[in-house]
Amino acid sequence: MSRTAWSAQDQAPPRDEEQRLRELGYQPVLARRMGGFGNFAISFSVISILSGCMTLYGFGLSTGGPAVMMWGWAGVGLFVLCVGLALAEVTSAYPTSGALYYMADKLGGRRWGWYTGWLNLLGLLGAIAGIDYGAALFTGAFLNLRFGFEPTPGSTFVIFLCILLLHATLNLFGVRLVSVLNSISVWWHLVGVAVIVGALAIVPDHHQSPSFVFTEFVNDTGWANPFYVAAIGLLLAQYTFSGYDASAHLSEETSNASVTAARGIVRAIWVSWLAGFVLLAGLTFAIQDYAGTQQSATGVPPAQILLDALGTAGASALLLVVIVAQLFCGNAEVAAASRMVFAFSRDNALPGSPLWRRVSSRTQTPVPAVWLSVAVAALLALPSLYSATAYGAVTAINVIGITPAYAIPVYLRLRAGKRFQPGPWQLGRWSKPIGWTAVCWVAIVTVLFCLPQSSPLTVNSMNYASIALAVVLVLASVWWYVARRSYSTPAAYGNAREQAEIAEGIV
């Protein structure tokens, strides 16, 4: 796309977004108090390089090692940018809290919207579980360094539940607080990466060579085929590069959302792409003992890198930086997931929809949807009490749930051709090549992350993400026959019965 095309879109006069929402079929009930930077900040916070990169760094050390982590990050980031660009174009046309499923419904029909919504919901709830459980792991590592605390599955799960409770509480105060926290989160992440990489570059006497960082291949998976190992090793990058649909889910609470939500998606991806590469390079150059890092007593390999390179005091200080960033990330993800629950319930797609779509008249926040989001996330993480590989499964659930949901609206937009009416932010002549690249990439990674990640294949090493995906699709199919008569996205706002039902949801 030419720079002039982008400038023209970005400088388009603000639309009446409340009127546009009514044209799309919904009465505005959420508070539109988020600006463009806040919208970018929520997607950037959900991507959270200090969460995704750090929590799956140990996974990357075993599935391809430094070479796959570095080059995988560069390659995956490029393809994800294509997905983000294509999704941003559709978001500009349909700026609603329902986001992906609403787009699919309007472009492909009710059943397309139905399955997209369930996949999106699975991915968002899996993301809360993955992010907050990762924060619990890092909190346990911090307590281990400072106080000799020995993290166990039980104690880690208790910390995880406390973090979920914190995020639910923060999200009950309204979108203004969420926006402020996300804006702080952007600078916390960027400054945090600079401080961590700077300390790891200056303090240690020994650093790995560039050839080690960019060419060293490590395979501890049990699989013999290096191409297979490299492929599953891409999970680190693909897991981190997810959640940028948060900008779309918060569009009903964003000013000039037809432009700023689309722009927020794209900016969150490319800023994370650059900063994440710097972070991974800084960590990998600073590895002092590869095997010791993998087998760290803290349970978190990046914590061992910091400990070996900076000592206990320095490692503890930087771990706190990481933990706070992860808390910002989890809080933003709860906001995005609760808006998806609210929107899906508004269209009668969930069991108990009349409850989950209720909105507080004081804060204009979907309170029951917030509590449902954190409760389901807690259930998804329960297997971590019994299986050491469960966390990897949770992250894979996030990827294979949410990533196909990104591609479906893009595919349907391509299939629609000239029937698609673009919004003020559009790709122009680049729409088709970028769109098809995005669809093909999503198809590949969805298959990859259903594959087993270690050998021999046992009950403990099984990748349960594929089973979770199948269960959700089966449940969605069964529920379709129960709720298909009540589920619908409105063609246009104005029906008196719909107005009354929406009003009943404000308490």
Side-chain angles (χ1 to χ4, degrees), residues 27-48:
Q27 170 71 0
V29 295
L30 300 175
R32 201 174 288 275
R33 296 171 181 165
M34 183 176 284
F37 184 81
N39 187 276
F40 148 75
I42 192 166
S43 281
F44 182 79
S45 297
V46 172
I47 292 174
S48 183

Side-chain angles (χ1 to χ4, degrees), residues 25-26 98 101-102 105 110 113-114 117-118 121 339-358 476 478-490 495 497-502 504-505:
Y26 297 112
Y101 88 85
Y102 181 89
D105 185 289
R110 294 173 69 235
W114 177 268
W118 280 98
L121 189 58
R339 271 50 176 191
M340 173 60 197
V341 171
F342 159 77
F344 217 26
S345 299
R346 181 172 59 182
D347 292 328
N348 296 304
L350 294 180
S353 286
L355 172 61
W356 311 125
R357 67 174 177 242
R358 294 170 73 86
V478 171
W479 188 248
W480 168 258
Y481 289 100
V482 176
R484 59 181 174 173
R485 292 178 180 172
S486 60
Y487 163 72
S488 67
T489 57
N495 181 281
R497 184 176 62 83
E498 287 179 358
Q499 292 184 43
E501 289 175 352
I502 291 169
E504 290 174 2

Side-chain angles (χ1 to χ4, degrees), residues 166-189:
L166 170 66
H167 287 156
T169 303
L170 289 173
N171 270 273
L172 299 182
F173 286 98
V175 75
R176 179 65 61 82
L177 177 61
V178 172
S179 182
V180 169
L181 291 174
N182 288 332
S183 297
I184 296 171
S185 172
V186 172
W187 300 111
W188 187 275
H189 275 81

